[in-house]
Amino acid sequence: MITKADIKQETNSVSYNRGKKIYEEQKVHAFQVQEMKDIFGYQLHKITAVVDGSGKNMYCVSVSVDEEMSEIMEDDCDCPAHEQYWGLCKHCVAVLLYYLEWRKKERKKLEEKVRNDEEHQELEQLLRAVGVKKGMEEFQGEHKIVRKVVKPIPKAETSPGFSELLSHYVMRDQVAFLPKAKAGQVKLEIHLESQFDDSFRAEFKIGSKRMYVLKSVSKMTAAVKNMETVSYGAQLSFLHCMDAFEEESRPMVEFLSAYTMECGSCYQIGTGSYASCFDDRYRLSLI
């Protein structure tokens, strides 16, 4: 299930704390949860709400979560910060914190309904008669449980310089032994949305069986240049190199790599690897 830790992982500390304050000040309204399935048949909760912003502004928020996999699949807010910066904006954080509280209340309602159910009461009486306590505890009677404490064996440490040297060779060799489940199977899809000023907003999705929103184009291209292993969710973690992408997606990866370098989204650091100087989710281009 989605937890506060999952929310924190998808944003920064400033946005999380501001979103928490918005939630505590009860600025989340028109909250709704709808059960739906994505195109791959996975069960999702689509959460919608309206959040009070600064002044008289109000922002519409939409978030989709996969409770089974504990993943935030998609998020959308019409505030300016959502398009400019990586991760959840403070309004999305506030709505997700509201969702956690709503989920807790719904669970309590279900538990109360079960307690009042006659069949459940009869089952509980039967279990008590045979010595089973509520909550699937031990049978009646004292049973002493002895736990053996095993001290962990200290791990051998490697010097930072030697670790960097090893990682270089390991990364090089990983290309030749890329898992068959990922080799040539990762897709990169582009979704275009027309804007009011005669431009297009391009959003990208990446994945194999399940597609994830690519929240930073420049970080993805930097990972390809550095041949880094990056995780996008429970079902997608792979070594970023051209061989990992399906053949139809490779031209798009090459184009984005060249584009981010030309625009200065990626820069080379002293070690020879590349880094991203900002987080970018959308690309705008005029007709």
Side-chain angles (χ1 to χ4, degrees), residues 20-201:
K20 183 173 180 288
K21 185 178 180 182
I22 291 173
Y23 160 70
E24 292 172 345
E25 292 177 352
Q26 300 181 353
K27 293 184 177 181
V28 179
H29 312 288
F31 179 86
Q32 291 185 343
V33 177
Q34 178 184 3
E35 291 188 2
M36 57 176 293
K37 290 186 178 181
D38 63 10
I39 59 175
F40 301 103
Y42 292 99
Q43 190 73 32
L44 302 178
H45 279 176
K46 184 175 182 180
I47 309 161
T48 56
V50 177
V51 181
D52 294 337
S54 57
K56 295 183 179 180
N57 294 326
M58 300 187 73
Y59 299 108
C60 296
V61 176
S62 174
V63 185
S64 296
V65 300
D66 185 335
E67 285 285 26
E68 183 179 355
M69 302 302 297
S70 298
E71 292 180 4
I72 300 170
M73 301 304 299
E74 293 188 1
D75 57 276
D76 188 46
C77 178
D78 51 11
C79 73
H82 184 268
E83 295 188 6
Q84 295 177 5
Y85 305 104
W86 171 88
L88 300 170
C89 67
K90 60 185 179 181
H91 308 106
C92 289
V93 171
V95 170
L96 282 168
L97 292 175
Y98 192 103
Y99 169 74
L100 296 185
E101 184 63 27
W102 170 87
R103 189 182 62 189
K104 186 187 299 183
K105 291 179 181 179
E106 290 295 308
R107 186 164 57 246
K108 287 183 178 179
K109 288 180 183 179
L110 181 60
E111 290 173 354
E112 184 66 26
K113 182 179 179 181
V114 171
R115 279 196 296 268
N116 295 333
D117 185 76
E118 293 182 359
E119 293 183 2
H120 176 265
Q121 291 176 0
E122 292 177 359
L123 176 60
E124 186 174 348
Q125 292 174 2
L126 177 61
L127 292 176
R128 287 183 179 276
V130 298
V132 180
K133 296 180 181 179
K134 184 179 179 181
M136 301 301 293
E137 296 179 356
E138 298 261 357
F139 283 90
Q140 288 181 352
E142 296 183 358
H143 300 276
K144 188 176 181 180
I145 301 176
V146 179
R147 292 185 174 89
K148 185 178 180 180
V149 179
V150 180
K151 294 183 179 180
I153 301 174
K155 295 182 178 179
E157 297 183 357
T158 307
S159 64
F162 189 60
S163 296
E164 185 177 352
L165 181 63
L166 283 177
S167 63
H168 171 76
Y169 286 102
V170 170
M171 185 169 59
R172 183 195 64 183
D173 293 339
Q174 275 184 312
V175 180
F177 298 100
L178 195 67
K180 294 182 179 179
K182 296 300 180 185
Q185 292 188 5
V186 180
K187 302 176 183 178
L188 182 64
E189 297 179 349
I190 182 172
H191 298 262
L192 296 176
E193 180 181 344
S194 178
Q195 304 294 296
F196 66 92
D197 59 349
D198 294 332
S199 67
F200 284 101
R201 185 175 77 170

Side-chain angles (χ1 to χ4, degrees), residues 227-258:
M227 287 193 296
E228 298 174 339
T229 298
V230 179
S231 175
Y232 294 89
Q235 297 187 0
L236 184 62
S237 178
F238 68 99
L239 178 69
H240 280 49
C241 63
M242 283 299 174
D243 290 337
F245 292 91
E246 64 175 13
E247 191 171 350
E248 292 80 1
S249 299
R250 291 173 190 173
M252 179 62 68
V253 178
E254 292 175 350
F255 169 77
L256 290 176
S257 297

